[in-house]
Amino acid sequence: MSARINIARPASGGYSPDPHGFANSRPSAGYRAANPDDPIEKLRAFARQVEDYSDIYSQPLKPHLPAIGRFLIVGTFLEDSWRITTQWGDQLWYLQRHRHFPWGLSHLFLIINVLTMLVGSGAVITKRHTEYAVGGLLGVVVIQAFGYGLIFDLNFFLRNLSVIGGLLMVFSDSMLTRKKLFAGLPSLSENDRKKYFLLAGRVLLIFLFIGFILRGEWSIARLFVSIIGLAACVMVAVGFKAKWSAAFLVVTLSAFNVFINNWWSVHSAHPQRDFLKYDFFQTLSIVGGLILLVNMGPGGLSVDEKKKTY
């Protein structure tokens, strides 16, 4: 005998496909497919395409990015040590005459600077005792600011903040291979420390571009580059599309460096040559820090990382 199933019927006597009322007659508010004709979607698709092509064509260069970044970061210290050595008499005269260093102390000041910069730069390039090298180079930045009386020079101050940011990027890059650092801080894991140093490095790196915006004569082209560059700086600081905004700043600052800080085109006897040369190598250091950012990514404290979580 077959089982009999009673199917409920509506009052009108017709068939009801949902006798228990489980269906929802209201329109769904769930995910809807993106409209390919939407301008924002077109922009996103173009950005994804650019990222894909960039990944493909930059693959041969990626293994060498850390070495290139490290070398560029210490470029300003190598140039500075060479300049002090070749202009020894002028450096002593300036320290003794204008900064009132006593004889002997001025010599010691210069010797310590040169040795620290040479040894520290070599250690950064060869990735040996990187944390001590970064500490020594940070010390050079600080004592030169006070020793040469440039601590209150806004342009010098902003540039040195960016150089410090580059050194912090080197420090972050080395933290994965150095586990014994900060042994007195057991509450922080190695990854946590790296996140905070990467954040500090990202924020400090952009101050060079802010200095570029604040100085010089304005024009339409300068205004356009400043707006785009400032947007890229904000993206680097908050860690949104950080790799690509950092890559944009690498290209922009490199072009700016070649055309504006072209010290090689100035006569060797002209006093402006040394200033342009100093600015050129400092900008190279910031470019090196941005290259390390492109290689490592923005770290855990960034919008890019939060987007992966959510």
Side-chain angles (χ1 to χ4, degrees):
M1 188 176 187
S2 61
R4 200 179 344 179
I5 302 176
N6 292 323
I7 300 177
R9 296 178 182 272
S12 60
Y15 172 74
S16 173
D18 183 33
H20 301 291
F22 291 136
N24 188 355
S25 61
R26 291 178 296 176
S28 172
Y31 173 78
R32 292 195 291 179
N35 181 8
D37 295 326
D38 185 6
I40 296 179
E41 287 302 322
K42 288 183 178 180
L43 184 61
R44 287 176 179 170
F46 175 75
R48 286 193 294 267
Q49 191 175 23
V50 170
E51 290 181 7
D52 291 341
Y53 280 119
S54 299
D55 281 335
I56 292 171
Y57 292 109
S58 63
Q59 284 298 329
L61 189 62
K62 279 188 176 181
H64 307 289
L65 286 181
I68 295 172
R70 285 170 171 266
F71 180 76
L72 292 179
I73 285 172
V74 300
T76 186
F77 297 102
L78 293 173
E79 187 275 332
D80 198 26
S81 60
W82 173 257
R83 179 165 47 85
I84 291 175
T85 304
T86 56
Q87 300 176 3
W88 187 262
D90 294 336
Q91 296 285 329
L92 288 176
W93 178 83
Y94 176 81
L95 291 174
Q96 293 172 9
R97 179 71 179 270
H98 293 279
R99 300 300 301 160
H100 309 294
F101 273 58
W103 192 96
L105 183 60
S106 57
H107 295 71
L108 183 62
F109 176 83
L110 294 179
I111 290 172
I112 291 175
N113 272 272
V114 170
L115 290 179
T116 304
M117 288 189 289
L118 289 176
V119 174
S121 298
V124 167
I125 293 172
T126 58
K127 300 180 71 171
R128 297 177 63 86
H129 306 292
T130 306
E131 67 278 5
Y132 302 113
V134 169
L137 294 176
L138 284 174
V140 167
V141 172
V142 174
I143 65 173
Q144 282 196 358
F146 286 99
Y148 286 99
L150 299 172
I151 188 65
F152 298 112
D153 184 292
L154 180 60
N155 183 46
F156 177 86
F157 181 71
L158 292 176
R159 283 177 169 273
N160 274 346
L161 283 180
S162 289
V163 171
I164 292 172
L167 290 173
L168 290 180
M169 298 303 291
V170 172
F171 189 80
S172 302
D173 186 48
S174 69
M175 290 190 74
L176 291 180
T177 56
R178 300 291 295 181
K179 301 296 184 181
K180 66 180 182 180
L181 223 52
F182 300 113
L185 297 176
S187 60
L188 291 177
S189 69
E190 197 72 18
N191 286 334
D192 288 336
R193 296 171 203 145
K194 184 178 179 181
K195 286 193 298 186
Y196 290 118
F197 280 110
L198 272 172
L199 174 62
R202 287 198 330 258
V203 173
L204 292 177
L205 275 174
I206 67 174
F207 279 96
L208 173 73
F209 203 89
I210 295 175
F212 163 72
I213 293 175
L214 294 178
R215 70 189 184 110
E217 297 181 358
W218 284 95
S219 63
I220 298 298
R222 180 184 175 88
L223 178 63
F224 177 76
V225 172
S226 297
I227 292 173
I228 300 298
L230 187 59
C233 287
V234 173
M235 291 169 68
V236 166
V238 301
F240 176 67
K241 294 291 183 184
K243 285 189 176 183
W244 308 109
S245 50
F248 170 79
L249 288 176
V250 167
V251 174
T252 304
L253 288 176
S254 297
F256 163 81
N257 213 20
V258 171
F259 290 106
I260 305 299
N261 294 328
N262 52 346
W263 56 270
W264 52 87
S265 65
V266 180
H267 193 273
S268 58
H270 198 287
Q272 188 67 16
R273 180 184 172 95
D274 271 350
F275 290 103
L276 289 175
K277 194 174 182 181
Y278 176 78
D279 287 349
F280 178 85
F281 281 96
Q282 271 212 325
T283 304
L284 277 187
S285 293
I286 286 87
V287 168
L290 290 168
I291 288 175
L292 285 184
L293 175 58
V294 171
N295 181 68
M296 289 188 294
L301 299 176
S302 64
V303 175
D304 289 346
E305 196 65 26
K306 297 301 179 185
K307 285 171 64 180
K308 294 179 184 178
T309 305
Y310 299 105

